[in-house]
Amino acid sequence: MGIVVQKFGGTSVADSDKIKNVADAVIREKLNGNKVIVVVSAMGHTTDNLIKLSKEITATPPEREMDMLLSTGEQVSMALLAMAINQKGHKAVSLNAMQVGIMTEANHTRARIINIKHNRVNSHLNKDEIVIIAGFQGITEDGEITTLGRGGSDTSAVALAAAFKADRCDIYSDVEGVYTTDPRVVPTAQKLDVISYEEMLELARVGANVLHPRSVETAKLCDVPMRVRSSFKLDDLGTLIIGVDKMELHKPVTGLACDSSQVRIVICDVPDKPGNAGRLFSLLANKGLSVDMIIQSYARSSNNTNDIAFTIDKTDLPKFNEVVGELKNELNPSNFHIDEDIAKVSIVGAGMIDRPGIAAKMFETLAQLEINIKMISTSEIKISCLVEKAHAKEAVAALCSVFELDGAAVADVKGDLPV
Ligand code: ADP
Ligand code: ASP
Ligand code: MG
C-alpha cells in the first residue's frame, strides 16, 4: 500500500461545498488503495484578511505574533475537512504542526523545515485513518509556532511527501496545471504536460506563484514526483514535474513570469573602495532582507563613486527604512531612490543553454516596443528584465508571441504547415 500526499490550496477549500468536494477527492485516493496524507491551506482569502487585520492594529507587527495569527487559518480548514470526510463515512483526523512534529528553524514568518517526526502520523495511518495536516506552519525546538512564508503549504506537502517516502505529491489548485505563463493574465497560455524541476524552480522564483519555490527545491533534492492539478477536474493529470535529464527539449523558452511585487532601490555615489558592497548587503542581510537583482555601475573617474541598485520585496520596505540611518552613516551616499513603479519580466527555459541569441531576441522585442530595460539579471536558464510597471502587460504579450508561449503563436505555426 503506497502513500500519497495531496495538497489543497485556498481556493479549493474556500467554502463548505468546496470542502465537501475536496473530501470526495481524498476519499477517491483512499479507495484507490493508498494511505493518504492531506495538507490544506487556509480557506479562500483568510491569510490576506488576517494580515489586513493586523495592519489595522500596527504597521510593524512582531513576527512571532504574526505567526500566531496566520497559523490559525490552516487549522480551520483542516478541522472542517476532517469533519467532511468523517461525515462521508471514512476515518480522518486533523493534526497541526505541533501534533505532527514539523520542526523548523526559529525564523518567524519564513522558517525552513528541518525535520518531520513520524510517530504520530504513522500511528493514524496504521489505523487506516486519513491524516489531514495544517500546511504553512511549523514548530521550533522551543515550542514556538512558525510559518514558512506566503504560499508555504506547497512546501509542507512536499516535505511530508519526502519524509514519508510518498509515491506522489499532488498539488491541487484552481488551475489545471502549470502553464507557459499565468493563464489569468494571458488566457491563451498553454498548459504544459511536463516541466523540469529546474525550470519550475526558476519560474516559481521569478513570480509564477502557482508553486512555492522551496516546494520545488525540496522535490528536486528528495526526488519527489510532483504534479500540479485541478481540484475541480479530478481526472485531468495536470502537469508532471520531473528531472531535466528525462526530458527532450524542443523550445529554448518553456515559460514566462511577471512579478510586480518588488521595489528597486538605488544608492547613489557610494565611494568606490573595497568592502562597501559587503557592508551594504550585510546591513540588509542582518535585517533579514532578501535581495534579488543587483547592479553596480562602472566607477566614474570624476568622483570615484558607484551607484548600487538592487531589488527587494515591497513588503520588506518597512525593514529597509529601519536601516536607512545606519546605511547613510556607513556608506555616505549622496542620495538614494526608491522606485515602486517596476515589474520584472522573466523568460525561463532549459533549452536556452548553449543556444545563443535568446537574450538578444528578448531585448530586441522590448526595444521594438520602446520599452526601456532598467535592470537585467540572468542564470543559465533564465533572463529577467526590470521594466516600468505600465509596460509589463505589453512586454508579456510580445514575449509570449516571440517565444511561442501562447495559443496564438501555436496557431500561426500550424497555419504555415502544409495541409
Ligand atoms: P493555491 O491557493 O491553490 O495555492 P495559488 O493562488 O497559490 O493557488 O496558485 C495558483 C495561481 O497561480 C493560479 O490561479 C494562477 O493565476 C497563478 N499562476 C501564475 N503563474 C502560473 C503558471 N505559469 N501556471 C499556472 N498558474 C499560474
Ligand atoms: N495560507 C498561506 C498563504 O496564503 C499558505 C498557503 O496558502 O500556501 O500564504
Ligand atoms: Mg499557493
Side-chain angles (χ1 to χ4, degrees):
M1 196 185 240
I3 296 182
V4 170
V5 174
Q6 297 179 296
K7 179 257 169 179
F8 294 90
T11 332
S12 312
V13 292
D15 57 39
S16 50
D17 281 338
K18 291 199 170 120
I19 289 177
K20 289 177 195 168
N21 176 54
V22 166
D24 289 334
V26 173
I27 291 167
R28 182 176 147 134
E29 200 61 72
K30 179 84 176 61
L31 294 178
N32 281 340
N34 295 303
K35 292 184 176 183
V36 186
I37 298 174
V38 183
V39 173
V40 281
S41 289
M43 293 172 72
H45 298 290
T46 303
T47 310
D48 290 332
N49 292 339
L50 290 172
I51 292 173
K52 207 163 137 232
L53 208 53
S54 73
K55 297 281 186 239
E56 288 172 19
I57 308 271
T58 164
T60 51
E63 291 184 331
R64 177 190 184 275
E65 302 311 326
M66 276 315 276
D67 281 350
M68 293 299 283
L69 179 68
L70 298 191
S71 58
T72 60
E74 274 64 18
Q75 295 200 190
V76 172
S77 35
M78 73 175 194
L80 291 174
L81 179 59
M83 288 177 201
I85 294 171
N86 284 318
Q87 177 64 23
K88 287 175 187 280
H90 292 262
K91 290 187 285 179
V93 60
S94 68
L95 299 173
N96 65 19
M98 189 183 299
Q99 290 166 311
V100 174
I102 301 181
M103 310 309 296
T104 72
E105 302 166 330
N107 197 3
H108 285 294
T109 75
R110 54 186 167 278
R112 279 180 174 264
I113 297 174
I114 301 168
N115 173 32
I116 297 181
K117 304 209 165 130
H118 285 66
N119 301 0
R120 183 77 192 259
V121 172
N122 273 339
S123 76
H124 290 291
L125 289 177
N126 291 340
K127 283 188 266 174
D128 210 27
E129 290 169 350
I130 294 164
V131 182
I132 325 280
I133 299 175
F136 182 49
Q137 55 178 257
I139 182 97
T140 70
E141 232 176 35
D142 296 336
E144 289 292 308
I145 291 176
T146 52
T147 59
L148 311 183
R150 293 304 306 272
S153 297
D154 299 332
T155 299
S156 311
V158 176
L160 281 157
F164 287 90
K165 301 202 177 357
D167 294 345
R168 277 191 348 255
C169 181
D170 287 345
I171 306 286
Y172 288 85
S173 189
D174 59 351
V175 274
E176 283 163 35
V178 178
Y179 283 68
T180 47
T181 190
D182 189 340
R184 310 221 179 280
V185 178
V186 180
T188 50
Q190 303 156 45
K191 193 182 98 182
L192 300 165
D193 291 332
V194 61
I195 186 170
S196 67
Y197 291 124
E198 289 80 358
E199 290 171 310
M200 191 61 240
L201 184 54
E202 284 284 16
L203 269 180
R205 280 193 188 132
V206 295
N209 61 349
V210 62
L211 285 175
H212 193 234
R214 275 162 36 208
S215 69
V216 189
E217 200 176 78
T218 308
K220 180 175 175 227
L221 204 71
C222 304
D223 231 345
V224 176
M226 190 178 180
R227 265 186 195 281
V228 174
R229 53 200 301 187
S230 165
S231 311
F232 309 106
K233 285 195 179 171
L234 297 179
D235 289 327
D236 195 314
L237 285 179
T239 302
L240 177 67
I241 306 171
I242 55 169
V244 73
D245 52 342
K246 297 177 191 141
M247 296 180 66
E248 279 215 53
L249 302 168
H250 299 292
K251 286 203 286 187
V253 178
T254 304
L256 176 149
C258 179
D259 180 5
S260 45
S261 68
Q262 295 191 339
V263 291
R264 177 175 71 147
I265 298 173
V266 186
I267 317 278
C268 308
D269 295 312
V270 178
D272 184 34
K273 55 179 190 205
N276 269 352
R279 260 190 287 282
L280 166 61
F281 291 108
S282 300
L283 268 178
L284 303 177
N286 292 342
K287 266 277 158 199
L289 283 168
S290 282
V291 173
D292 181 19
M293 301 171 101
I294 301 176
I295 285 187
Q296 178 175 295
S297 69
Y298 181 64
R300 288 185 292 270
S301 51
S302 55
N303 56 0
N304 217 21
T305 62
N306 293 309
D307 293 341
I308 302 181
F310 53 90
T311 61
I312 59 170
D313 272 355
K314 211 175 283 174
T315 50
D316 280 339
L317 259 185
K319 280 195 198 162
F320 174 74
N321 288 330
E322 286 172 24
V323 293
V324 165
E326 224 175 316
L327 192 149
K328 283 183 178 163
N329 282 343
E330 293 242 355
L331 302 177
N332 197 26
S334 66
N335 205 347
F336 68 90
H337 303 287
I338 298 178
D339 185 1
E340 296 199 37
D341 189 23
I342 54 153
K344 184 176 70 175
V345 182
S346 309
I347 54 171
V348 171
M352 68 175 76
I353 298 173
D354 290 335
R355 223 185 285 207
I358 306 301
K361 199 166 172 182
M362 180 178 195
F363 304 154
E364 273 165 16
T365 304
L366 298 177
Q368 273 161 15
L369 298 166
E370 295 194 19
I371 296 175
N372 190 34
I373 302 172
K374 292 173 175 238
M375 290 173 100
I376 297 168
S377 76
T378 61
S379 77
E380 213 180 12
I381 61 164
K382 175 212 76 179
I383 306 165
S384 298
C385 293
L386 203 69
V387 300
E388 249 176 58
K389 204 182 274 177
H391 292 139
K393 217 171 163 186
E394 221 186 335
V396 167
L399 292 168
C400 277
S401 164
V402 162
F403 291 109
E404 297 177 14
L405 300 176
D406 61 1
V410 169
D412 285 343
V413 172
K414 283 194 179 136
D416 287 342
L417 296 174
V419 262

